């Protein structure tokens, strides 16, 4: 069965008399292990869809079903649990905690995830090695380049081995070399570890690594097409 199923999903932001239909009637499924890029101009509803996929906001119509569970049937606590157990988030602005070192940022994320087993140090070492940040782990974010900060953010997202990785413009602030490193890691997570990846991007080059591309405009999905599955070598 699909790991993600959106059925006539919609979100309207309301403030007083003003209503913004940010997402309308979105219907699609994503199979486990797929890599899907989400593309569209600014304001087309990509971030809104991302928040709905991550259970960070509630739909105003339709259904968001993750791994067979309809988010609408969960209370806030259950939604948080679902998010922590299944989803890894990567943001354009990294969102690292500035007073903590890279290592502490990753470890605290693992702690918050509520996993019952202790952090697997070997797994962490493997991830930071692949990302080329092992010698940067005792530095604070302000002492790291943007590319290094994003790699820390990726290690933070992957350390829990999430079934689903949601990335919102993960290469938006990065130079080409760092972008490629980020994309390569997402692709390896997808191909070698069968993690399902959904990535919002403005960059057609980045989008082209996906199995499928979901296009959005004016709050609607305007098409879903095959991606190129381009292989990234950083
Ligand atoms: P994208 O990520 O593609 O730029 P968004 O999902 O951020 O698109 O925005 C879709 C529409 O919803 C836009 O018109 C935007 O202004 C509006 N919007 C987004 N967030 C809010 C909010 N919190 N309150 C009101 N309107 C919002
Ligand atoms: P298991 O299910 O037995 O834990 P995994 O397939 O999760 O095995 O992991 C096998 C190895 O790959 C481990 O060393 C683990 O740390 C590493 N690994 C797991 N997920 C990722 C990932 N997304 N990217 C890179 N390495 C990973």
């Amino acid at each position: 069965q699909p790991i993600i199923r959106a059925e006539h999903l919609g979100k309207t932001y309301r403030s007083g008399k003003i209503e913004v239909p940010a997402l309308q009637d979105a219907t699609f499924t994503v199979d486990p292990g797929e890599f899907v890029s989400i593309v569209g101009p600014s304001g087309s509803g990509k971030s809104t869809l991302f928040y709905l996929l991550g259970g960070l906001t509630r739909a105003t119509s339709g259904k968001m079903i993750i791994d067979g569970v309809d988010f609408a049937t969960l209370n806030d606590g259950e939604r948080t649990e679902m998010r922590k157990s299944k989803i890894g988030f990567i943001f354009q602005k990294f969102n690292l905690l500035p007073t903590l070192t890279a290592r502490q940022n990753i470890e605290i994320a693992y702690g918050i995830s509520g996993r019952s087993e202790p952090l697997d140090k070997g797994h962490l070492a493997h991830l930071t090695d692949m990302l080329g940040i092992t010698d940067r782990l005792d530095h604070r974010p302000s002492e790291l380049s943007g590319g290094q900060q994003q790699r820390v953010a990726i290690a933070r997202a992957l350390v829990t081995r999430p079934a689903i990785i949601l990335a919102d413009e993960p290469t938006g602030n990065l130079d080409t070399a760092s972008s490629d490193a980020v994309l390569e890691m997402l692709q390896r997570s997808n191909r070698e570890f069968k993690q399902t990846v959904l990535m919002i991007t403005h960059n057609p080059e980045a989008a082209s690594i996906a199995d499928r591309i979901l296009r959005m405009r004016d709050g609607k999905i305007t098409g879903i097409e095959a991606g190129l599955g381009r292989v990234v070598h950083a």
Side-chain angles (χ1 to χ4, degrees):
Q1 71 162 3
I3 190 161
I4 294 168
R5 180 187 289 279
E7 288 178 6
H8 306 293
L9 187 66
K11 174 79 181 178
T12 297
Y13 295 103
R14 288 195 178 83
S15 118
K17 290 202 167 115
I18 301 170
E19 292 197 351
V20 182
L23 185 72
Q24 298 174 63
D25 199 25
T27 296
F28 62 93
T29 60
V30 177
D31 285 331
E34 260 197 295
F35 193 131
V36 177
S37 291
I38 302 170
V39 304
S42 187
S44 60
K46 303 184 299 296
S47 300
T48 299
L49 177 58
F50 180 91
Y51 293 137
L52 289 165
L53 284 163
L56 298 165
T57 189
R58 281 179 183 282
T60 44
S61 55
K63 288 185 176 171
M64 181 78 255
I65 301 166
I66 302 289
D67 219 0
V69 179
D70 181 353
F71 269 134
T73 66
L74 305 180
N75 63 33
D76 286 352
E78 290 166 338
R79 237 171 358 135
T80 302
E81 281 313 307
M82 175 90 167
R83 185 159 69 229
K84 290 196 294 195
S85 67
K86 296 218 158 61
I87 303 174
F89 290 92
I90 300 167
F91 301 96
Q92 178 172 8
K93 291 186 177 151
F94 323 136
N95 293 6
L96 299 172
L97 297 168
T99 60
L100 302 184
T101 64
R103 185 192 306 282
Q104 289 168 332
N105 265 281
I106 299 167
E107 289 179 350
I108 215 158
Y110 189 83
I112 289 170
S113 80
R115 297 289 188 282
S116 53
E117 62 280 16
L119 172 63
D120 174 350
K121 299 273 184 197
H123 176 50
L124 178 56
H126 183 90
L127 289 177
T128 60
D129 239 32
M130 281 179 67
L131 288 161
I133 52 169
T134 302
D135 60 347
R136 308 302 290 161
L137 289 178
D138 294 317
H139 293 267
R140 293 205 171 84
S142 60
E143 298 163 329
L144 303 176
S145 71
Q148 289 169 344
Q149 289 183 59
Q150 190 58 301
R151 290 178 221 194
V152 173
I154 289 178
R156 176 183 60 182
L158 297 183
V159 71
T160 56
R161 306 177 203 265
I164 302 171
I165 299 167
L166 296 182
D168 189 356
E169 293 278 3
T171 62
N173 285 332
L174 305 180
D175 58 46
T176 307
S178 294
S179 285
D180 284 350
V182 163
L183 295 175
E184 183 183 38
M185 193 67 188
L186 289 175
Q187 188 161 65
R188 289 185 72 166
S189 298
N190 174 253
R191 295 200 169 175
E192 294 175 28
F193 303 100
K194 311 295 173 214
Q195 286 162 304
T196 305
V197 181
L198 278 82
M199 175 178 71
I200 293 178
T201 183
H202 266 98
N203 179 347
E205 274 281 290
S208 72
I209 78 174
D211 302 318
R212 283 195 300 158
I213 299 178
L214 191 154
R215 294 195 186 279
M216 299 187 65
R217 176 174 286 276
D218 298 334
K220 296 190 182 110
I221 295 176
T222 54
I224 304 179
E225 66 207 55
L228 300 176
R230 179 175 68 86
V231 178
V232 191
H233 292 294

